[in-house]
Amino acid sequence: MHDDRTAPRRSAAFLTTLRVALAGLLVLAAASDGRARRDDRGDVPGWVMVTVMTAGIVAAISAFAGPVMADMVRAALDSVQ
């Protein structure tokens, strides 16, 4: 598994992820004027938010579960050899 020495790195990665997600939300809020749009350009700020939040979720999961997932992949590959 992993030891307690990786906890500060995971915490730092999680905080960085939160900062990126909040920055994305601030960009989204700044780009939105609160009025409904009547053109067919699509919802670009919405897609930006979805992309930033997805990246944040992936980074958060990999920060906490990365070592465990790496051990699982190594064990699976070792069992094949």
Side-chain angles (χ1 to χ4, degrees), residues 22-79:
L22 288 174
L25 289 174
L26 288 174
V27 168
L28 177 65
S32 174
D33 59 0
R35 293 179 285 162
R37 296 181 184 207
R38 295 189 177 251
D39 56 8
D40 292 333
R41 293 187 305 172
D43 187 17
V44 174
W47 283 108
V48 170
M49 183 184 71
V50 168
T51 303
V52 169
M53 294 303 288
T54 301
I57 290 169
V58 169
I61 290 172
S62 66
F64 290 106
V68 174
M69 292 187 322
D71 290 343
M72 287 176 22
V73 169
R74 273 192 218 101
L77 290 175
D78 288 343
S79 70

Side-chain angles (χ1 to χ4, degrees), residues 1-26:
M1 290 261 165
H2 61 289
D3 57 4
D4 290 333
R5 292 179 291 175
T6 60
R9 285 191 308 196
R10 290 189 316 228
S11 296
F14 181 71
L15 289 175
T16 300
T17 301
L18 285 177
R19 286 183 189 122
V20 169
L22 288 174
L25 289 174
L26 288 174

